[in-house]
Amino acid sequence: AVNQKPREDFTMTRWATLAIGFLAFCSFPVTGPAQAQSGDGWITLFDGKNLDHWQGDGNANFAIDDGSIVAKDKKDAKTTAFLISKDKYKDFQIYAEFWVSNDANSGIFIRCEDPKKPGAKTCYECNIFDTRPDPSYGTGAIVYHAEVDPMPKAGGKWSTMEVTAKGRDLSIMFDGKKTASARSGVHTEGPLALQFGEGVVKFRKVAIKPL
């Protein structure tokens, strides 16, 4: 009985220390990559309210439908339409939330050399294309620069894409997982372009953080 009290005091002290540590841990917010786009340095290019940062390529009318960008009245169902940023960007991180149908062909094009002619050879194409005939450059890939394996599926749900371009280093995170990376100096600076190809394509948030 004489030796029991110190042991009890030690046990109580140990549990009190653990409890304080647990409470301290819980007081700090856990922030994942997909939440960081609203922090310092981030510029919101689309938040569901207006298209002030963008201009169309003339192949469709772009509108806001229930808080998302959609392409309407395309000149031709098979014609690809682009919504192009008014500003140019060099080194940056991009965060985008989007919804596409299973048969959709879309993507985020970066560092476009000619804003009048966005494409996989004039920009880096961060692809959103579940049914691409060659899936190695399908959803989550950087077309012609970095293949994806296995290819994630974007169709039928809201997804996120995070793109980082710093110097020659390029990378893509799709739904929080890294899908592709490359080193390339082909395109160094230019506007962004959101692709509205086939199927249903909606973007509900786009943000950029210059590096």
Side-chain angles (χ1 to χ4, degrees), residues 125-126 136-143 145-150 152 162-164 170-174 177-182:
E125 178 183 2
C126 304
S136 60
Y137 286 125
T139 298
I142 306 173
V143 179
H145 296 278
E147 298 183 358
V148 58
D149 184 22
E162 297 166 83
V163 180
T164 301
L170 312 169
S171 65
I172 294 179
M173 297 275 287
F174 181 87
K177 297 181 180 180
K178 188 174 182 179
T179 57
S181 62

mmCIF file with all atom_site columns, all heavy atoms in Angstrom, residues 125-126 136-143 145-150 152 162-164 170-174 177-182:
data_model
loop_
_atom_site.group_PDB
_atom_site.id
_atom_site.type_symbol
_atom_site.label_atom_id
_atom_site.label_alt_id
_atom_site.label_comp_id
_atom_site.label_asym_id
_atom_site.label_entity_id
_atom_site.label_seq_id
_atom_site.pdbx_PDB_ins_code
_atom_site.Cartn_x
_atom_site.Cartn_y
_atom_site.Cartn_z
_atom_site.occupancy
_atom_site.B_iso_or_equiv
_atom_site.pdbx_formal_charge
_atom_site.auth_seq_id
_atom_site.auth_comp_id
_atom_site.auth_asym_id
_atom_site.auth_atom_id
_atom_site.pdbx_PDB_model_num
ATOM 1   N N   . GLU A 1 125 ? -1.332  20.163 -72.263 1.00 0.00 ? 125 GLU A N   1
ATOM 2   C CA  . GLU A 1 125 ? -2.708  19.742 -72.042 1.00 0.00 ? 125 GLU A CA  1
ATOM 3   C C   . GLU A 1 125 ? -2.786  18.778 -70.862 1.00 0.00 ? 125 GLU A C   1
ATOM 4   O O   . GLU A 1 125 ? -2.285  17.656 -70.927 1.00 0.00 ? 125 GLU A O   1
ATOM 5   C CB  . GLU A 1 125 ? -3.274  19.061 -73.290 1.00 0.00 ? 125 GLU A CB  1
ATOM 6   C CG  . GLU A 1 125 ? -4.699  18.569 -73.090 1.00 0.00 ? 125 GLU A CG  1
ATOM 7   C CD  . GLU A 1 125 ? -5.250  17.822 -74.294 1.00 0.00 ? 125 GLU A CD  1
ATOM 8   O OE1 . GLU A 1 125 ? -4.502  17.657 -75.288 1.00 0.00 ? 125 GLU A OE1 1
ATOM 9   O OE2 . GLU A 1 125 ? -6.412  17.398 -74.235 1.00 0.00 ? 125 GLU A OE2 1
ATOM 10  N N   . CYS A 1 126 ? -3.424  19.228 -69.792 1.00 0.00 ? 126 CYS A N   1
ATOM 11  C CA  . CYS A 1 126 ? -3.688  18.382 -68.630 1.00 0.00 ? 126 CYS A CA  1
ATOM 12  C C   . CYS A 1 126 ? -5.052  17.753 -68.873 1.00 0.00 ? 126 CYS A C   1
ATOM 13  O O   . CYS A 1 126 ? -6.086  18.401 -68.720 1.00 0.00 ? 126 CYS A O   1
ATOM 14  C CB  . CYS A 1 126 ? -3.675  19.230 -67.359 1.00 0.00 ? 126 CYS A CB  1
ATOM 15  S SG  . CYS A 1 126 ? -2.126  20.152 -67.160 1.00 0.00 ? 126 CYS A SG  1
ATOM 16  N N   . SER A 1 136 ? -3.160  5.996  -72.284 1.00 0.00 ? 136 SER A N   1
ATOM 17  C CA  . SER A 1 136 ? -1.920  6.423  -71.625 1.00 0.00 ? 136 SER A CA  1
ATOM 18  C C   . SER A 1 136 ? -1.836  7.945  -71.543 1.00 0.00 ? 136 SER A C   1
ATOM 19  O O   . SER A 1 136 ? -1.139  8.490  -70.677 1.00 0.00 ? 136 SER A O   1
ATOM 20  C CB  . SER A 1 136 ? -0.701  5.867  -72.368 1.00 0.00 ? 136 SER A CB  1
ATOM 21  O OG  . SER A 1 136 ? -0.656  6.324  -73.697 1.00 0.00 ? 136 SER A OG  1
ATOM 22  N N   . TYR A 1 137 ? -2.525  8.638  -72.446 1.00 0.00 ? 137 TYR A N   1
ATOM 23  C CA  . TYR A 1 137 ? -2.590  10.097 -72.382 1.00 0.00 ? 137 TYR A CA  1
ATOM 24  C C   . TYR A 1 137 ? -4.019  10.555 -72.074 1.00 0.00 ? 137 TYR A C   1
ATOM 25  O O   . TYR A 1 137 ? -4.447  11.620 -72.491 1.00 0.00 ? 137 TYR A O   1
ATOM 26  C CB  . TYR A 1 137 ? -2.119  10.722 -73.701 1.00 0.00 ? 137 TYR A CB  1
ATOM 27  C CG  . TYR A 1 137 ? -0.621  10.664 -73.902 1.00 0.00 ? 137 TYR A CG  1
ATOM 28  C CD1 . TYR A 1 137 ? -0.077  10.088 -75.042 1.00 0.00 ? 137 TYR A CD1 1
ATOM 29  C CD2 . TYR A 1 137 ? 0.246   11.189 -72.951 1.00 0.00 ? 137 TYR A CD2 1
ATOM 30  C CE1 . TYR A 1 137 ? 1.293   10.036 -75.237 1.00 0.00 ? 137 TYR A CE1 1
ATOM 31  C CE2 . TYR A 1 137 ? 1.621   11.134 -73.129 1.00 0.00 ? 137 TYR A CE2 1
ATOM 32  C CZ  . TYR A 1 137 ? 2.137   10.564 -74.279 1.00 0.00 ? 137 TYR A CZ  1
ATOM 33  O OH  . TYR A 1 137 ? 3.502   10.519 -74.455 1.00 0.00 ? 137 TYR A OH  1
ATOM 34  N N   . GLY A 1 138 ? -4.762  9.725  -71.330 1.00 0.00 ? 138 GLY A N   1
ATOM 35  C CA  . GLY A 1 138 ? -6.128  10.064 -70.958 1.00 0.00 ? 138 GLY A CA  1
ATOM 36  C C   . GLY A 1 138 ? -6.180  10.927 -69.710 1.00 0.00 ? 138 GLY A C   1
ATOM 37  O O   . GLY A 1 138 ? -5.261  11.703 -69.419 1.00 0.00 ? 138 GLY A O   1
ATOM 38  N N   . THR A 1 139 ? -7.238  10.787 -68.943 1.00 0.00 ? 139 THR A N   1
ATOM 39  C CA  . THR A 1 139 ? -7.451  11.603 -67.747 1.00 0.00 ? 139 THR A CA  1
ATOM 40  C C   . THR A 1 139 ? -6.264  11.523 -66.798 1.00 0.00 ? 139 THR A C   1
ATOM 41  O O   . THR A 1 139 ? -5.797  10.442 -66.442 1.00 0.00 ? 139 THR A O   1
ATOM 42  C CB  . THR A 1 139 ? -8.718  11.132 -67.019 1.00 0.00 ? 139 THR A CB  1
ATOM 43  O OG1 . THR A 1 139 ? -9.846  11.297 -67.873 1.00 0.00 ? 139 THR A OG1 1
ATOM 44  C CG2 . THR A 1 139 ? -8.932  11.932 -65.741 1.00 0.00 ? 139 THR A CG2 1
ATOM 45  N N   . GLY A 1 140 ? -5.754  12.698 -66.406 1.00 0.00 ? 140 GLY A N   1
ATOM 46  C CA  . GLY A 1 140 ? -4.637  12.772 -65.471 1.00 0.00 ? 140 GLY A CA  1
ATOM 47  C C   . GLY A 1 140 ? -3.273  12.832 -66.116 1.00 0.00 ? 140 GLY A C   1
ATOM 48  O O   . GLY A 1 140 ? -2.266  12.975 -65.410 1.00 0.00 ? 140 GLY A O   1
ATOM 49  N N   . ALA A 1 141 ? -3.199  12.738 -67.440 1.00 0.00 ? 141 ALA A N   1
ATOM 50  C CA  . ALA A 1 141 ? -1.918  12.781 -68.151 1.00 0.00 ? 141 ALA A CA  1
ATOM 51  C C   . ALA A 1 141 ? -1.624  14.192 -68.668 1.00 0.00 ? 141 ALA A C   1
ATOM 52  O O   . ALA A 1 141 ? -2.513  15.039 -68.752 1.00 0.00 ? 141 ALA A O   1
ATOM 53  C CB  . ALA A 1 141 ? -1.934  11.811 -69.324 1.00 0.00 ? 141 ALA A CB  1
ATOM 54  N N   . ILE A 1 142 ? -0.380  14.424 -69.022 1.00 0.00 ? 142 ILE A N   1
ATOM 55  C CA  . ILE A 1 142 ? 0.024   15.632 -69.747 1.00 0.00 ? 142 ILE A CA  1
ATOM 56  C C   . ILE A 1 142 ? 0.302   15.169 -71.171 1.00 0.00 ? 142 ILE A C   1
ATOM 57  O O   . ILE A 1 142 ? 1.319   14.514 -71.422 1.00 0.00 ? 142 ILE A O   1
ATOM 58  C CB  . ILE A 1 142 ? 1.267   16.294 -69.134 1.00 0.00 ? 142 ILE A CB  1
ATOM 59  C CG1 . ILE A 1 142 ? 1.056   16.565 -67.638 1.00 0.00 ? 142 ILE A CG1 1
ATOM 60  C CG2 . ILE A 1 142 ? 1.589   17.607 -69.862 1.00 0.00 ? 142 ILE A CG2 1
ATOM 61  C CD1 . ILE A 1 142 ? 2.302   17.053 -66.917 1.00 0.00 ? 142 ILE A CD1 1
ATOM 62  N N   . VAL A 1 143 ? -0.596  15.456 -72.074 1.00 0.00 ? 143 VAL A N   1
ATOM 63  C CA  . VAL A 1 143 ? -0.563  14.872 -73.415 1.00 0.00 ? 143 VAL A CA  1
ATOM 64  C C   . VAL A 1 143 ? 0.772   15.152 -74.110 1.00 0.00 ? 143 VAL A C   1
ATOM 65  O O   . VAL A 1 143 ? 1.251   16.286 -74.138 1.00 0.00 ? 143 VAL A O   1
ATOM 66  C CB  . VAL A 1 143 ? -1.738  15.399 -74.262 1.00 0.00 ? 143 VAL A CB  1
ATOM 67  C CG1 . VAL A 1 143 ? -1.686  14.810 -75.668 1.00 0.00 ? 143 VAL A CG1 1
ATOM 68  C CG2 . VAL A 1 143 ? -3.068  15.034 -73.593 1.00 0.00 ? 143 VAL A CG2 1
ATOM 69  N N   . HIS A 1 145 ? 3.620   14.453 -73.118 1.00 0.00 ? 145 HIS A N   1
ATOM 70  C CA  . HIS A 1 145 ? 4.746   14.724 -72.213 1.00 0.00 ? 145 HIS A CA  1
ATOM 71  C C   . HIS A 1 145 ? 4.819   13.770 -71.029 1.00 0.00 ? 145 HIS A C   1
ATOM 72  O O   . HIS A 1 145 ? 5.915   13.424 -70.588 1.00 0.00 ? 145 HIS A O   1
ATOM 73  C CB  . HIS A 1 145 ? 4.683   16.167 -71.697 1.00 0.00 ? 145 HIS A CB  1
ATOM 74  C CG  . HIS A 1 145 ? 4.835   17.200 -72.761 1.00 0.00 ? 145 HIS A CG  1
ATOM 75  N ND1 . HIS A 1 145 ? 6.058   17.600 -73.243 1.00 0.00 ? 145 HIS A ND1 1
ATOM 76  C CD2 . HIS A 1 145 ? 3.898   17.892 -73.458 1.00 0.00 ? 145 HIS A CD2 1
ATOM 77  C CE1 . HIS A 1 145 ? 5.880   18.511 -74.191 1.00 0.00 ? 145 HIS A CE1 1
ATOM 78  N NE2 . HIS A 1 145 ? 4.586   18.700 -74.338 1.00 0.00 ? 145 HIS A NE2 1
ATOM 79  N N   . ALA A 1 146 ? 3.694   13.340 -70.492 1.00 0.00 ? 146 ALA A N   1
ATOM 80  C CA  . ALA A 1 146 ? 3.700   12.445 -69.330 1.00 0.00 ? 146 ALA A CA  1
ATOM 81  C C   . ALA A 1 146 ? 2.478   11.542 -69.367 1.00 0.00 ? 146 ALA A C   1
ATOM 82  O O   . ALA A 1 146 ? 1.346   12.027 -69.341 1.00 0.00 ? 146 ALA A O   1
ATOM 83  C CB  . ALA A 1 146 ? 3.727   13.249 -68.031 1.00 0.00 ? 146 ALA A CB  1
ATOM 84  N N   . GLU A 1 147 ? 2.715   10.244 -69.444 1.00 0.00 ? 147 GLU A N   1
ATOM 85  C CA  . GLU A 1 147 ? 1.626   9.279  -69.475 1.00 0.00 ? 147 GLU A CA  1
ATOM 86  C C   . GLU A 1 147 ? 1.073   9.048  -68.068 1.00 0.00 ? 147 GLU A C   1
ATOM 87  O O   . GLU A 1 147 ? 1.710   9.412  -67.063 1.00 0.00 ? 147 GLU A O   1
ATOM 88  C CB  . GLU A 1 147 ? 2.123   7.953  -70.060 1.00 0.00 ? 147 GLU A CB  1
ATOM 89  C CG  . GLU A 1 147 ? 2.598   8.066  -71.492 1.00 0.00 ? 147 GLU A CG  1
ATOM 90  C CD  . GLU A 1 147 ? 3.015   6.721  -72.072 1.00 0.00 ? 147 GLU A CD  1
ATOM 91  O OE1 . GLU A 1 147 ? 2.963   5.709  -71.326 1.00 0.00 ? 147 GLU A OE1 1
ATOM 92  O OE2 . GLU A 1 147 ? 3.392   6.679  -73.255 1.00 0.00 ? 147 GLU A OE2 1
ATOM 93  N N   . VAL A 1 148 ? -0.109  8.448  -68.015 1.00 0.00 ? 148 VAL A N   1
ATOM 94  C CA  . VAL A 1 148 ? -0.736  8.119  -66.739 1.00 0.00 ? 148 VAL A CA  1
ATOM 95  C C   . VAL A 1 148 ? -1.015  6.614  -66.701 1.00 0.00 ? 148 VAL A C   1
ATOM 96  O O   . VAL A 1 148 ? -1.475  6.037  -67.684 1.00 0.00 ? 148 VAL A O   1
ATOM 97  C CB  . VAL A 1 148 ? -2.052  8.919  -66.553 1.00 0.00 ? 148 VAL A CB  1
ATOM 98  C CG1 . VAL A 1 148 ? -3.026  8.653  -67.677 1.00 0.00 ? 148 VAL A CG1 1
ATOM 99  C CG2 . VAL A 1 148 ? -2.688  8.592  -65.203 1.00 0.00 ? 148 VAL A CG2 1
ATOM 100 N N   . ASP A 1 149 ? -0.699  5.974  -65.554 1.00 0.00 ? 149 ASP A N   1
ATOM 101 C CA  . ASP A 1 149 ? -0.946  4.546  -65.410 1.00 0.00 ? 149 ASP A CA  1
ATOM 102 C C   . ASP A 1 149 ? -0.946  4.191  -63.915 1.00 0.00 ? 149 ASP A C   1
ATOM 103 O O   . ASP A 1 149 ? 0.088   4.325  -63.254 1.00 0.00 ? 149 ASP A O   1
ATOM 104 C CB  . ASP A 1 149 ? 0.123   3.742  -66.132 1.00 0.00 ? 149 ASP A CB  1
ATOM 105 C CG  . ASP A 1 149 ? -0.145  2.243  -66.096 1.00 0.00 ? 149 ASP A CG  1
ATOM 106 O OD1 . ASP A 1 149 ? -1.319  1.856  -65.898 1.00 0.00 ? 149 ASP A OD1 1
ATOM 107 O OD2 . ASP A 1 149 ? 0.823   1.476  -66.249 1.00 0.00 ? 149 ASP A OD2 1
ATOM 108 N N   . PRO A 1 150 ? -2.096  3.771  -63.382 1.00 0.00 ? 150 PRO A N   1
ATOM 109 C CA  . PRO A 1 150 ? -3.384  3.587  -64.067 1.00 0.00 ? 150 PRO A CA  1
ATOM 110 C C   . PRO A 1 150 ? -4.109  4.908  -64.261 1.00 0.00 ? 150 PRO A C   1
ATOM 111 O O   . PRO A 1 150 ? -3.863  5.866  -63.529 1.00 0.00 ? 150 PRO A O   1
ATOM 112 C CB  . PRO A 1 150 ? -4.155  2.684  -63.104 1.00 0.00 ? 150 PRO A CB  1
ATOM 113 C CG  . PRO A 1 150 ? -3.627  3.078  -61.758 1.00 0.00 ? 150 PRO A CG  1
ATOM 114 C CD  . PRO A 1 150 ? -2.160  3.340  -61.965 1.00 0.00 ? 150 PRO A CD  1
ATOM 115 N N   . PRO A 1 152 ? -7.125  7.362  -63.870 1.00 0.00 ? 152 PRO A N   1
ATOM 116 C CA  . PRO A 1 152 ? -8.325  7.523  -63.047 1.00 0.00 ? 152 PRO A CA  1
ATOM 117 C C   . PRO A 1 152 ? -9.524  7.870  -63.922 1.00 0.00 ? 152 PRO A C   1
ATOM 118 O O   . PRO A 1 152 ? -9.361  8.295  -65.068 1.00 0.00 ? 152 PRO A O   1
ATOM 119 C CB  . PRO A 1 152 ? -7.953  8.684  -62.120 1.00 0.00 ? 152 PRO A CB  1
ATOM 120 C CG  . PRO A 1 152 ? -7.011  9.509  -62.942 1.00 0.00 ? 152 PRO A CG  1
ATOM 121 C CD  . PRO A 1 152 ? -6.215  8.517  -63.762 1.00 0.00 ? 152 PRO A CD  1
ATOM 122 N N   . GLU A 1 162 ? -5.290  19.514 -59.694 1.00 0.00 ? 162 GLU A N   1
ATOM 123 C CA  . GLU A 1 162 ? -4.314  20.490 -59.241 1.00 0.00 ? 162 GLU A CA  1
ATOM 124 C C   . GLU A 1 162 ? -3.079  20.368 -60.130 1.00 0.00 ? 162 GLU A C   1
ATOM 125 O O   . GLU A 1 162 ? -2.490  19.299 -60.229 1.00 0.00 ? 162 GLU A O   1
ATOM 126 C CB  . GLU A 1 162 ? -3.976  20.251 -57.779 1.00 0.00 ? 162 GLU A CB  1
ATOM 127 C CG  . GLU A 1 162 ? -5.181  20.438 -56.854 1.00 0.00 ? 162 GLU A CG  1
ATOM 128 C CD  . GLU A 1 162 ? -4.937  19.890 -55.458 1.00 0.00 ? 162 GLU A CD  1
ATOM 129 O OE1 . GLU A 1 162 ? -4.338  20.610 -54.647 1.00 0.00 ? 162 GLU A OE1 1
ATOM 130 O OE2 . GLU A 1 162 ? -5.356  18.747 -55.202 1.00 0.00 ? 162 GLU A OE2 1
ATOM 131 N N   . VAL A 1 163 ? -2.715  21.461 -60.751 1.00 0.00 ? 163 VAL A N   1
ATOM 132 C CA  . VAL A 1 163 ? -1.597  21.482 -61.694 1.00 0.00 ? 163 VAL A CA  1
ATOM 133 C C   . VAL A 1 163 ? -0.524  22.422 -61.164 1.00 0.00 ? 163 VAL A C   1
ATOM 134 O O   . VAL A 1 163 ? -0.826  23.547 -60.754 1.00 0.00 ? 163 VAL A O   1
ATOM 135 C CB  . VAL A 1 163 ? -2.051  21.957 -63.088 1.00 0.00 ? 163 VAL A CB  1
ATOM 136 C CG1 . VAL A 1 163 ? -0.872  21.960 -64.056 1.00 0.00 ? 163 VAL A CG1 1
ATOM 137 C CG2 . VAL A 1 163 ? -3.182  21.094 -63.614 1.00 0.00 ? 163 VAL A CG2 1
ATOM 138 N N   . THR A 1 164 ? 0.713   21.953 -61.162 1.00 0.00 ? 164 THR A N   1
ATOM 139 C CA  . THR A 1 164 ? 1.838   22.791 -60.760 1.00 0.00 ? 164 THR A CA  1
ATOM 140 C C   . THR A 1 164 ? 2.811   22.908 -61.924 1.00 0.00 ? 164 THR A C   1
ATOM 141 O O   . THR A 1 164 ? 3.194   21.902 -62.524 1.00 0.00 ? 164 THR A O   1
ATOM 142 C CB  . THR A 1 164 ? 2.571   22.210 -59.535 1.00 0.00 ? 164 THR A CB  1
ATOM 143 O OG1 . THR A 1 164 ? 1.657   22.103 -58.445 1.00 0.00 ? 164 THR A OG1 1
ATOM 144 C CG2 . THR A 1 164 ? 3.729   23.110 -59.126 1.00 0.00 ? 164 THR A CG2 1
ATOM 145 N N   . LEU A 1 170 ? 6.628   20.032 -64.240 1.00 0.00 ? 170 LEU A N   1
ATOM 146 C CA  . LEU A 1 170 ? 5.176   20.024 -64.359 1.00 0.00 ? 170 LEU A CA  1
ATOM 147 C C   . LEU A 1 170 ? 4.625   18.810 -63.613 1.00 0.00 ? 170 LEU A C   1
ATOM 148 O O   . LEU A 1 170 ? 5.236   17.748 -63.642 1.00 0.00 ? 170 LEU A O   1
ATOM 149 C CB  . LEU A 1 170 ? 4.746   19.930 -65.827 1.00 0.00 ? 170 LEU A CB  1
ATOM 150 C CG  . LEU A 1 170 ? 5.414   20.873 -66.822 1.00 0.00 ? 170 LEU A CG  1
ATOM 151 C CD1 . LEU A 1 170 ? 5.064   20.452 -68.249 1.00 0.00 ? 170 LEU A CD1 1
ATOM 152 C CD2 . LEU A 1 170 ? 4.982   22.309 -66.572 1.00 0.00 ? 170 LEU A CD2 1
ATOM 153 N N   . SER A 1 171 ? 3.480   18.970 -62.968 1.00 0.00 ? 171 SER A N   1
ATOM 154 C CA  . SER A 1 171 ? 2.863   17.822 -62.302 1.00 0.00 ? 171 SER A CA  1
ATOM 155 C C   . SER A 1 171 ? 1.358   18.012 -62.192 1.00 0.00 ? 171 SER A C   1
ATOM 156 O O   . SER A 1 171 ? 0.856   19.142 -62.221 1.00 0.00 ? 171 SER A O   1
ATOM 157 C CB  . SER A 1 171 ? 3.461   17.603 -60.905 1.00 0.00 ? 171 SER A CB  1
ATOM 158 O OG  . SER A 1 171 ? 3.168   18.696 -60.057 1.00 0.00 ? 171 SER A OG  1
ATOM 159 N N   . ILE A 1 172 ? 0.650   16.875 -62.069 1.00 0.00 ? 172 ILE A N   1
ATOM 160 C CA  . ILE A 1 172 ? -0.805  16.881 -61.941 1.00 0.00 ? 172 ILE A CA  1
ATOM 161 C C   . ILE A 1 172 ? -1.210  16.044 -60.741 1.00 0.00 ? 172 ILE A C   1
ATOM 162 O O   . ILE A 1 172 ? -0.690  14.938 -60.518 1.00 0.00 ? 172 ILE A O   1
ATOM 163 C CB  . ILE A 1 172 ? -1.495  16.290 -63.194 1.00 0.00 ? 172 ILE A CB  1
ATOM 164 C CG1 . ILE A 1 172 ? -1.257  17.176 -64.415 1.00 0.00 ? 172 ILE A CG1 1
ATOM 165 C CG2 . ILE A 1 172 ? -2.994  16.145 -62.963 1.00 0.00 ? 172 ILE A CG2 1
ATOM 166 C CD1 . ILE A 1 172 ? -1.890  16.623 -65.686 1.00 0.00 ? 172 ILE A CD1 1
ATOM 167 N N   . MET A 1 173 ? -2.142  16.581 -59.959 1.00 0.00 ? 173 MET A N   1
ATOM 168 C CA  . MET A 1 173 ? -2.806  15.843 -58.887 1.00 0.00 ? 173 MET A CA  1
ATOM 169 C C   . MET A 1 173 ? -4.270  15.735 -59.277 1.00 0.00 ? 173 MET A C   1
ATOM 170 O O   . MET A 1 173 ? -4.926  16.750 -59.535 1.00 0.00 ? 173 MET A O   1
ATOM 171 C CB  . MET A 1 173 ? -2.678  16.579 -57.556 1.00 0.00 ? 173 MET A CB  1
ATOM 172 C CG  . MET A 1 173 ? -1.263  16.737 -57.053 1.00 0.00 ? 173 MET A CG  1
ATOM 173 S SD  . MET A 1 173 ? -0.691  15.294 -56.126 1.00 0.00 ? 173 MET A SD  1
ATOM 174 C CE  . MET A 1 173 ? -1.620  15.489 -54.610 1.00 0.00 ? 173 MET A CE  1
ATOM 175 N N   . PHE A 1 174 ? -4.793  14.507 -59.323 1.00 0.00 ? 174 PHE A N   1
ATOM 176 C CA  . PHE A 1 174 ? -6.197  14.290 -59.655 1.00 0.00 ? 174 PHE A CA  1
ATOM 177 C C   . PHE A 1 174 ? -6.891  13.678 -58.451 1.00 0.00 ? 174 PHE A C   1
ATOM 178 O O   . PHE A 1 174 ? -6.486  12.621 -57.977 1.00 0.00 ? 174 PHE A O   1
ATOM 179 C CB  . PHE A 1 174 ? -6.323  13.377 -60.876 1.00 0.00 ? 174 PHE A CB  1
ATOM 180 C CG  . PHE A 1 174 ? -7.748  13.131 -61.303 1.00 0.00 ? 174 PHE A CG  1
ATOM 181 C CD1 . PHE A 1 174 ? -8.374  14.005 -62.168 1.00 0.00 ? 174 PHE A CD1 1
ATOM 182 C CD2 . PHE A 1 174 ? -8.456  12.042 -60.812 1.00 0.00 ? 174 PHE A CD2 1
ATOM 183 C CE1 . PHE A 1 174 ? -9.695  13.803 -62.547 1.00 0.00 ? 174 PHE A CE1 1
ATOM 184 C CE2 . PHE A 1 174 ? -9.774  11.822 -61.190 1.00 0.00 ? 174 PHE A CE2 1
ATOM 185 C CZ  . PHE A 1 174 ? -10.394 12.702 -62.054 1.00 0.00 ? 174 PHE A CZ  1
ATOM 186 N N   . LYS A 1 177 ? -4.446  12.711 -55.728 1.00 0.00 ? 177 LYS A N   1
ATOM 187 C CA  . LYS A 1 177 ? -3.388  11.744 -56.004 1.00 0.00 ? 177 LYS A CA  1
ATOM 188 C C   . LYS A 1 177 ? -2.581  12.175 -57.225 1.00 0.00 ? 177 LYS A C   1
ATOM 189 O O   . LYS A 1 177 ? -3.144  12.570 -58.243 1.00 0.00 ? 177 LYS A O   1
ATOM 190 C CB  . LYS A 1 177 ? -3.978  10.352 -56.241 1.00 0.00 ? 177 LYS A CB  1
ATOM 191 C CG  . LYS A 1 177 ? -4.690  9.781  -55.031 1.00 0.00 ? 177 LYS A CG  1
ATOM 192 C CD  . LYS A 1 177 ? -5.223  8.393  -55.315 1.00 0.00 ? 177 LYS A CD  1
ATOM 193 C CE  . LYS A 1 177 ? -5.932  7.811  -54.095 1.00 0.00 ? 177 LYS A CE  1
ATOM 194 N NZ  . LYS A 1 177 ? -6.462  6.451  -54.374 1.00 0.00 ? 177 LYS A NZ  1
ATOM 195 N N   . LYS A 1 178 ? -1.266  12.067 -57.123 1.00 0.00 ? 178 LYS A N   1
ATOM 196 C CA  . LYS A 1 178 ? -0.402  12.444 -58.235 1.00 0.00 ? 178 LYS A CA  1
ATOM 197 C C   . LYS A 1 178 ? -0.539  11.442 -59.369 1.00 0.00 ? 178 LYS A C   1
ATOM 198 O O   . LYS A 1 178 ? -0.409  10.239 -59.165 1.00 0.00 ? 178 LYS A O   1
ATOM 199 C CB  . LYS A 1 178 ? 1.055   12.512 -57.780 1.00 0.00 ? 178 LYS A CB  1
ATOM 200 C CG  . LYS A 1 178 ? 1.999   13.083 -58.810 1.00 0.00 ? 178 LYS A CG  1
ATOM 201 C CD  . LYS A 1 178 ? 3.395   13.247 -58.228 1.00 0.00 ? 178 LYS A CD  1
ATOM 202 C CE  . LYS A 1 178 ? 4.354   13.859 -59.222 1.00 0.00 ? 178 LYS A CE  1
ATOM 203 N NZ  . LYS A 1 178 ? 5.710   14.047 -58.640 1.00 0.00 ? 178 LYS A NZ  1
ATOM 204 N N   . THR A 1 179 ? -0.812  11.954 -60.569 1.00 0.00 ? 179 THR A N   1
ATOM 205 C CA  . THR A 1 179 ? -1.006  11.062 -61.711 1.00 0.00 ? 179 THR A CA  1
ATOM 206 C C   . THR A 1 179 ? 0.071   11.207 -62.775 1.00 0.00 ? 179 THR A C   1
ATOM 207 O O   . THR A 1 179 ? 0.296   10.276 -63.540 1.00 0.00 ? 179 THR A O   1
ATOM 208 C CB  . THR A 1 179 ? -2.374  11.317 -62.365 1.00 0.00 ? 179 THR A CB  1
ATOM 209 O OG1 . THR A 1 179 ? -2.462  12.706 -62.756 1.00 0.00 ? 179 THR A OG1 1
ATOM 210 C CG2 . THR A 1 179 ? -3.516  10.990 -61.414 1.00 0.00 ? 179 THR A CG2 1
ATOM 211 N N   . ALA A 1 180 ? 0.724   12.360 -62.848 1.00 0.00 ? 180 ALA A N   1
ATOM 212 C CA  . ALA A 1 180 ? 1.724   12.550 -63.903 1.00 0.00 ? 180 ALA A CA  1
ATOM 213 C C   . ALA A 1 180 ? 2.685   13.674 -63.528 1.00 0.00 ? 180 ALA A C   1
ATOM 214 O O   . ALA A 1 180 ? 2.320   14.605 -62.814 1.00 0.00 ? 180 ALA A O   1
ATOM 215 C CB  . ALA A 1 180 ? 1.044   12.880 -65.234 1.00 0.00 ? 180 ALA A CB  1
ATOM 216 N N   . SER A 1 181 ? 3.907   13.565 -64.028 1.00 0.00 ? 181 SER A N   1
ATOM 217 C CA  . SER A 1 181 ? 4.896   14.626 -63.867 1.00 0.00 ? 181 SER A CA  1
ATOM 218 C C   . SER A 1 181 ? 5.848   14.589 -65.049 1.00 0.00 ? 181 SER A C   1
ATOM 219 O O   . SER A 1 181 ? 6.051   13.537 -65.661 1.00 0.00 ? 181 SER A O   1
ATOM 220 C CB  . SER A 1 181 ? 5.664   14.480 -62.548 1.00 0.00 ? 181 SER A CB  1
ATOM 221 O OG  . SER A 1 181 ? 6.389   13.266 -62.524 1.00 0.00 ? 181 SER A OG  1
ATOM 222 N N   . ALA A 1 182 ? 6.431   15.735 -65.358 1.00 0.00 ? 182 ALA A N   1
ATOM 223 C CA  . ALA A 1 182 ? 7.339   15.813 -66.505 1.00 0.00 ? 182 ALA A CA  1
ATOM 224 C C   . ALA A 1 182 ? 8.287   16.988 -66.338 1.00 0.00 ? 182 ALA A C   1
ATOM 225 O O   . ALA A 1 182 ? 8.025   17.915 -65.559 1.00 0.00 ? 182 ALA A O   1
ATOM 226 C CB  . ALA A 1 182 ? 6.542   15.976 -67.799 1.00 0.00 ? 182 ALA A CB  1
#
